[in-house]
Amino acid sequence: MKKILIELIISVALILAVWLGLSKVDWMKLFNIEQVTQNTEEKIGDLFWKMLKSSETEISSDSIVSPVDSMLTRICTANTIDRKKVKLHLLRKDEINAFALPNNHLVIYSGLIAACENEAELYGVIGHELAHMEKNHVMNKLIKEIGLSVLISMTTGNGNAEMIKEAIKHLSSTAYDRSLETEADLTAVDYLEKAGINPEPFANFLYRLADQTKHLPSQIYWISTHPESKERAEEIIKHIKNKDVPKAEAKDSLRFERLKERVK
Amino acid sequence: MIATSNFHYQPDEHELEKASNSYVMSLIAIMGGLPLPIINLIATSIFYIGNLKGTYFVRWHCIQALLSQLFLLPFNSVGFWWTISIIFTPENITNNYIAYIVTIFVFNLTEFIGTIYTAVATRKGKHIEWWVIGGLTHLICKDR
């Protein structure tokens, strides 16, 4: 019996040792997984944005883009995120929506800016989408739901326009997993804290839009694509409860009011 | 890992065929059951139950075939559910995951080759005892 037990332990130990040894090999590099994904992300992101741009109206007015751009820069700088890699796009559309496309394209609809009651709420949304980018949720979602091979075929010109439109629609109008949404929320809260912005209005934004969804469901995409908003807002509140978060509202609300006027 | 010894009696031709079939059964189960490791175990178990009233030699080899499946089952199950979680949850492919899959592939392949060898050898009348599994089989299977 003792001999069998020793043999059994040796066998299990051997399997674990082989696993441990093999895990020292950089398989991701060996199989070029990261490089292929990176190249595909760059191509697919630019392709998606080109397609989206052709069907929507992009806001190019400096008086609108500049304030949002400076908000994005503030979060990036405070969190040592390379601002240059994030491509900000504002689109004139009534839908309350914002989403991230592959290769760090951040798309915000004018409807969402207009729906924000204060600057801190918009900071929260930007932080949330930025978190999706930084945590690589965008490509992971596409690879899981569409498949890497289909994405690669799109970048090589084999994907038809309908397929690309469907993929964009998928990214802009369907939710991530609940765990990913929560991760993005809490990361956004951390971003806001580091940037000296009160994260509470972001939770309020989720609460408020969750209520409004009952009356105007088709317009509020950002909430309908981010389900269980009230529960998520509660998690944010719980997360910041015992933390010394910045309490002051974001400065220059007058500038934000002017921005809201311009996007209407 | 595999030791050849003499069984304490000389099995007849019919016994050799049945004992050898238990390994063939587990081989077929490996092929059919690759995506679902539990299938291997179920198939080998059914064959074992079917031979419960067989001779000592037949039962002994059925149990060895069954235990060889049972040994890798937890490792294969971890690999299976890890893969499922990568496909359906936010879990990502990592170096650890690829290393694990390579590891269980190597051990499954070793078991596969060992099973073929044992099936052929048993058919020829040799008594093969596997490392760990052989000893465990002796503990479980007693001559009536």
Side-chain angles (χ1 to χ4, degrees), chain A residues 195-249:
Chain A
I197 299 156
N198 184 4
E200 238 178 271
F202 176 45
N204 295 341
F205 180 71
L206 290 172
Y207 260 124
R208 199 176 62 252
L209 290 198
D211 276 341
Q212 286 179 19
T213 314
K214 291 169 193 164
H215 312 294
L216 289 164
S218 61
Q219 289 295 304
I220 307 173
Y221 271 82
W222 202 75
I223 280 299
S224 60
T225 61
H226 292 72
E228 297 158 321
S229 302
K230 283 192 176 171
E231 289 84 350
R232 285 174 49 214
E234 278 159 14
E235 277 189 61
I236 293 173
I237 297 296
K238 208 170 108 188
H239 184 68
I240 60 176
K241 201 177 175 183
N242 298 317
K243 287 174 106 180
D244 188 22
V245 292
K247 290 289 174 199
E249 295 300 322

Side-chain angles (χ1 to χ4, degrees), chain B residues 16-118:
Chain B
L16 294 179
E17 191 178 346
K18 272 204 160 181
S20 173
N21 280 349
S22 64
Y23 296 103
V24 175
M25 186 70 185
S26 77
L27 277 181
I28 294 166
I30 288 171
M31 292 176 211
L34 271 182
L36 276 172
I38 193 79
I39 291 176
N40 303 353
L41 189 69
I42 293 168
T44 321
S45 303
I46 290 169
F47 192 82
Y48 166 67
I49 291 163
N51 284 289
L52 266 179
K53 286 178 182 168
T55 62
Y56 179 43
F57 185 78
V58 175
R59 276 187 294 117
W60 196 96
H61 281 279
C62 279
I63 290 177
Q64 178 161 265
L66 179 69
L67 291 182
S68 69
Q69 292 296 321
L70 203 62
F71 181 74
L72 279 180
L73 180 79
F75 296 99
N76 288 344
S77 299
V78 169
F80 174 75
W81 289 110
W82 198 344
T83 307
I84 290 292
S85 73
I86 283 174
I87 297 169
F88 296 107
T89 72
E91 180 95 15
N92 289 324
I93 294 178
T94 58
N95 283 331
N96 279 346
Y97 168 74
I98 299 174
Y100 189 82
I101 295 298
V102 173
T103 306
I104 58 170
F105 176 77
V106 167
F107 281 94
N108 274 285
L109 188 69
T110 310
E111 194 215 19
F112 189 77
I113 294 165
T115 306
I116 293 173
Y117 174 78
T118 312

Side-chain angles (χ1 to χ4, degrees), chain A residues 1 4 6-8 10-12 14-16 18-19 22-29 31 33 140 144 177 179-180, chain B residues 1 71-72 75 82 85-96 98-100 102-103 107 131-132 135-136 139:
Chain A
M1 185 68 191
I4 297 167
I6 292 168
E7 284 180 358
L8 191 68
I10 291 172
S11 303
V12 174
L14 182 72
I15 294 177
L16 295 177
V18 171
W19 177 30
L22 287 174
S23 62
K24 300 288 172 206
V25 178
D26 193 350
W27 298 96
M28 304 291 277
K29 200 175 173 184
F31 292 139
I33 294 174
N140 283 348
K144 278 198 177 82
D177 291 345
S179 60
L180 295 188
Chain B
M1 286 292 167
F71 181 74
L72 279 180
F75 296 99
W82 198 344
S85 73
I86 283 174
I87 297 169
F88 296 107
T89 72
E91 180 95 15
N92 289 324
I93 294 178
T94 58
N95 283 331
N96 279 346
I98 299 174
Y100 189 82
V102 173
T103 306
F107 281 94
W131 162 269
V132 190
L136 271 174
L139 278 179

